[in-house]
Amino acid sequence: MKNSNNTLDRKGNKALLYDFHTHVEKIDELESYFDLNIIPIINISNFHEWEIIRKCDNWEKYSKLINDIFFISAGVHPFDNAPWSEKTEIFYNNMSKYSSFVGEIGMDSCWSNVDKSIQKSNFERSLDFAYKNNFPVILHTKNMEGEIYDIIRKYSLQFIVHWYSCKNYIDEYISLGCYFTFGPALLEDKNIRTLAKRVPLDRILIETDGLNALQWLYNKAISENELRDYLEITIDEIAQIKEISPRKMVDIVNTNSEFLLRKGYKNG
Ligand SMILES: [Zn+2]
């Protein structure tokens, strides 16, 4: 993939970028984020995923860098078929020492085979947890956009909608004050382009959704060293849609990201 020069700073160094929604399956991926000057918001769905980071050799060092050069979001994914239990409470309570967000949570009737009532109950209880702890929420809405809108409009919470690809309810979600994370699917999907045209500049964030999602989208192997390229093509594309320069777009996305991350800090 062609590298964009649009995210170099004046000295020719890679400008800071944020990947506002990702997953890490190997510790090399987290380290690659540091090398590429990207601050990731890493989604953790269960203790197994958490162990990938926590059991690494450099945990002692990395644990001090949470909420500095990387952030954690913890939440029960709509693919998880375990009904809410004491174990779920333990997961949320333990993770809240490290996390700044609840997510990705939501419902999915496209790829998830999990019973709708389990999805809905896990989703609502996760929202209750977010409300009690004043955490912003990262939403997964696939094919359940209307149902999710009906639930979240009752909550006074900050929502970040991940990979929204539905042509309906866009104005409804915008009117709730939602932010939206855009990834390179923006180049392929006309519904996402419609969203990008309509969403205000101060609600735009960017994401990769992790290497697995990128590999699924492009149907090819992608290495952790290429993560930045996919954020850059997304920036370039949104900038074009919004008719502003890519550099300006980086500034806008970084300002939006930093605003939410300050909100994500505990006691802040
Ligand atoms: Zn995800």
Side-chain angles (χ1 to χ4, degrees):
M1 178 176 299
K2 204 169 136 289
N3 266 318
S4 161
N5 289 324
N6 290 322
T7 63
L8 299 179
D9 65 17
R10 282 181 192 85
K11 290 181 188 150
N13 299 318
K14 288 183 169 79
L16 178 69
L17 293 179
Y18 291 86
D19 183 348
F20 223 90
H21 178 73
T22 187
H23 303 260
V24 161
E25 305 217 339
K26 287 189 301 183
I27 201 67
D28 305 7
E29 294 167 23
L30 179 63
E31 288 167 344
S32 199
Y33 275 110
F34 304 154
D35 295 342
L36 296 167
N37 201 21
I38 303 166
I39 293 183
I41 288 72
I42 297 166
N43 182 87
I44 303 288
S45 303
N46 51 52
F47 279 124
H48 167 72
E49 290 179 8
W50 180 230
E51 302 273 276
I52 294 170
I53 296 175
R54 207 183 60 82
K55 290 246 165 113
C56 75
D57 296 343
N58 289 321
W59 170 244
E60 195 54 38
K61 183 172 100 190
Y62 292 161
S63 62
K64 297 188 182 81
L65 302 173
I66 298 178
N67 295 337
D68 181 8
I69 64 169
F70 72 107
F71 289 78
I72 299 292
S73 166
V76 178
H77 198 282
F79 293 2
D80 191 333
N81 63 10
W84 191 276
S85 67
E86 202 182 325
K87 211 175 142 202
T88 325
E89 300 270 353
I90 293 168
F91 170 68
Y92 271 114
N93 286 329
N94 284 8
M95 288 308 301
S96 69
K97 297 174 197 130
Y98 306 98
S99 59
S100 313
F101 298 85
V102 169
E104 64 185 283
I105 59 169
M107 295 189 283
D108 183 320
S109 64
C110 176
W111 297 306
S112 176
N113 298 321
V114 176
D115 188 275
K116 290 286 154 46
S117 66
I118 293 177
Q119 289 195 39
K120 187 163 189 253
S121 154
N122 282 343
F123 179 45
E124 289 178 327
R125 297 188 76 159
S126 298
L127 288 172
D128 293 339
F129 178 83
Y131 186 74
K132 229 168 53 198
N133 291 278
N134 196 26
F135 280 171
V137 171
I138 297 175
L139 286 177
H140 174 121
T141 57
K142 190 68 185 174
N143 282 11
M144 293 294 281
E145 294 82 3
E147 292 85 344
I148 287 178
Y149 172 73
D150 274 340
I151 294 171
I152 64 169
R153 65 193 178 84
K154 297 176 194 131
Y155 284 85
S156 169
L157 278 167
Q158 182 66 70
F159 293 106
I160 297 141
V161 191
H162 136 70
W163 199 322
Y164 194 85
S165 59
C166 175
K167 65 176 191 299
N168 302 316
Y169 313 108
I170 290 175
D171 292 337
E172 286 87 337
Y173 277 83
I174 291 173
S175 73
L176 286 182
C178 294
Y179 285 72
F180 297 84
T181 48
F182 291 88
L186 171 69
L187 281 78
E188 327 279 332
D189 185 327
K190 72 173 187 341
N191 288 347
I192 304 180
R193 301 182 72 80
T194 303
L195 173 67
K197 278 178 201 143
R198 289 186 20 207
V199 71
L201 282 171
D202 63 0
R203 306 279 188 81
I204 294 175
L205 303 164
I206 52 166
E207 66 168 1
T208 61
D209 199 16
L211 279 184
N212 260 352
L214 292 175
Q215 286 170 170
W216 171 80
L217 184 65
Y218 289 93
N219 195 24
K220 65 172 187 182
I222 292 172
S223 100
E224 58 267 18
N225 306 322
E226 297 172 273
L227 283 161
R228 189 178 173 97
D229 302 344
Y230 292 93
L231 295 175
E232 290 183 347
I233 60 165
T234 306
I235 286 278
D236 287 355
E237 196 66 19
I238 304 188
Q240 205 168 44
I241 290 170
K242 293 301 203 187
E243 297 178 341
I244 57 174
S245 76
R247 274 170 204 260
K248 179 84 188 141
M249 199 69 229
V250 171
D251 287 345
I252 289 169
V253 167
N254 284 4
T255 301
N256 297 343
S257 301
E258 282 155 16
F259 175 75
L260 284 172
L261 291 171
R262 272 200 300 279
K263 286 198 124 183
Y265 276 120
K266 292 184 192 76
N267 313 316

